[in-house]
Amino acid sequence: MDRILLSTYILKIRDRQKNDQILSRFNGEDDFLRIMENYLNSIFETILATADTRETTAIHLTLDAPPNVNIENRSIHGFFSTGISGEQYDIKDVESRETIVEVQRNHAAFRNIFFYLKIPTERDNGALILQRKAKFGIKTILKKTLNRYVKGLGYQNYTVFINNVVHGRVYRTMIKHGNLKKVDFIKRRLPSSIEAYYNNDMREDQIPGTLKTSMLSPTSLPQNYKNFVNDLFTNPDRERIEIDGIDEDFDEVEFELELNGKRKTFYVKHKNRIQPDIDVTADAELSEQGQPTIESLIRISEELIVDIIQLRI
């Protein structure tokens, strides 16, 4: 059975002065929950398309059914339907090698992806849960088309942000039971010359660039290394990372944890870069067709959102 992955995000709106808006009275009077409902109904009626980051492939987004809105709970859930077009290829039966479908450039193979959105009252952030299937995600097209829709309503001074947020359960499980495979200490500046680097002259005449010092293990770095990165990661964010006993300061410390064959990279300073997927296979209830039930996906999403919102108070 395929793993069931849910990804967690924080949703915010900021004005041009980078002030976060209260979502339930966005723009002073508008409820963003209603704006999201209208956006979702609009893409149910019309398939949206946008190019990928390389401008080579068209990515499509729609809903096969209207969204389910719970005003009292201030939540919306449903299934996005998303696909990629732009290539011409054949789909074959792998045993008979018979061509089943001839896919043209204007065809797209669509996948249904569960979503759950919650917009609390009097808060400047909402929570979004997106199902992730293999390496196929929809965060980019969702953010792009949602901002296009919001600005089309006349909100030219506002931007919607959908930021990754790592769930505490994932980190705590991996730091406790996983292997620490790598630690990278990163500076965004270089000594003026290679000779200066070897002479430990790291402060004078520095130039822009990236200097990375890596510590790696084919199995796992010792427990004291794990304690070290855990102390850094769980401390409040700082502009620069100062480490006792090292006469240098760093712009970022990255470390990689591995558990049950799955690796995830964590960032001490830029935590929003952490991939937010959570394996909920063991918690989901399955239908007779072997798919997770909507009821169990809603239940799990609510549990994840409670933790996310509590972390953001």
Side-chain angles (χ1 to χ4, degrees):
M1 184 186 69
D2 293 337
R3 292 184 303 152
I4 303 167
L5 302 177
L6 296 180
S7 297
T8 52
Y9 301 92
I10 290 291
L11 187 148
K12 291 186 172 186
I13 302 177
R14 289 178 179 156
D15 60 21
R16 289 185 177 177
Q17 289 72 43
K18 298 185 178 180
N19 298 312
D20 293 336
Q21 303 297 298
I22 299 299
L23 298 182
S24 57
R25 45 186 173 88
F26 161 64
N27 196 42
E29 58 183 358
D30 299 323
D31 189 346
F32 195 69
L33 182 71
R34 291 297 192 185
I35 293 177
M36 282 299 305
E37 179 184 3
N38 293 336
Y39 161 78
L40 293 167
N41 280 320
S42 73
I43 66 173
F44 165 65
E45 297 172 357
T46 305
I47 298 177
L48 299 183
T50 186
D52 64 359
T53 54
R54 297 181 180 180
E55 301 292 331
T56 58
T57 304
I59 305 175
H60 306 273
L61 185 67
T62 187
L63 278 75
D64 288 339
N68 298 278
V69 183
N70 186 327
I71 297 298
E72 182 178 355
N73 190 44
R74 296 194 57 80
S75 64
I76 307 176
H77 75 272
F79 286 88
F80 286 114
S81 183
T82 183
I84 298 175
S85 66
E87 294 186 16
Q88 185 172 340
Y89 58 91
D90 294 338
I91 296 178
K92 296 179 179 291
D93 184 301
V94 295
E95 295 183 357
S96 67
R97 302 184 67 174
E98 177 185 358
T99 298
I100 307 299
V101 178
E102 294 180 355
V103 178
Q104 304 300 313
R105 292 185 182 277
N106 63 330
H107 293 172
F110 281 81
R111 296 174 174 86
N112 287 329
I113 296 178
F114 175 79
F115 72 89
Y116 192 93
L117 172 72
K118 192 154 191 176
I119 305 291
T121 58
E122 300 302 316
R123 295 291 299 274
D124 62 6
N125 59 79
L128 173 66
I129 306 295
L130 292 176
Q131 187 178 7
R132 185 175 181 87
K133 294 188 175 180
K135 294 184 178 181
F136 194 87
I138 64 168
K139 172 189 170 183
T140 299
I141 183 175
L142 175 60
K143 183 168 64 173
K144 185 181 293 187
T145 57
L146 179 55
N147 272 292
R148 185 189 304 163
Y149 178 82
V150 168
K151 292 187 185 300
L153 295 177
Y155 301 109
Q156 298 296 327
N157 296 326
Y158 298 95
T159 302
V160 180
F161 290 85
I162 301 175
N163 295 330
N164 298 7
V165 57
V166 64
H167 192 271
R169 183 206 306 175
V170 175
Y171 174 72
R172 290 190 297 270
T173 300
M174 295 194 78
I175 195 70
K176 182 177 181 180
H177 301 290
N179 296 320
L180 178 61
K181 306 295 290 186
K182 181 173 67 170
V183 181
D184 290 335
F185 298 91
I186 300 171
K187 296 184 178 185
R188 306 299 181 193
R189 55 211 186 280
L190 299 172
S192 58
S193 67
I194 297 296
E195 290 80 8
Y197 172 74
Y198 280 107
N199 291 329
N200 293 322
D201 182 10
M202 301 294 292
R203 295 186 180 277
E204 297 181 2
D205 300 323
Q206 294 184 0
I207 59 177
T210 300
L211 178 63
K212 180 184 293 187
T213 302
S214 298
M215 301 179 182
L216 306 93
S217 171
T219 53
S220 182
L221 292 166
Q223 181 64 38
N224 62 329
Y225 281 66
K226 190 184 287 189
N227 295 340
F228 174 82
V229 297
N230 183 55
D231 289 341
L232 285 179
F233 187 77
T234 54
N235 279 340
D237 291 345
R238 291 160 290 184
E239 285 299 315
R240 299 293 283 273
I241 300 165
E242 299 178 6
I243 300 174
D244 290 338
I246 300 178
D247 191 23
E248 303 290 349
D249 55 345
F250 299 89
D251 297 283
E252 181 63 282
V253 175
E254 303 175 5
F255 58 99
E256 183 180 79
L257 294 171
E258 179 187 50
L259 181 63
N260 298 328
K262 180 175 178 56
R263 297 192 180 197
K264 186 180 288 291
T265 300
F266 293 87
Y267 305 84
V268 170
K269 181 179 177 183
H270 297 99
K271 292 183 172 64
N272 62 309
R273 295 182 59 193
I274 302 169
Q275 290 300 310
D277 53 297
I278 305 163
D279 191 335
V280 299
T281 307
D283 297 331
E285 300 169 3
L286 302 182
S287 66
E288 294 181 357
Q289 292 73 34
Q291 297 299 314
T293 65
I294 295 178
E295 292 76 15
S296 67
L297 289 176
I298 292 173
R299 171 182 55 80
I300 295 169
S301 296
E302 278 286 351
E303 292 171 358
L304 296 177
I305 285 174
V306 167
D307 285 348
I308 292 171
I309 293 176
Q310 286 177 343
L311 289 172
R312 304 293 294 191
I313 291 177

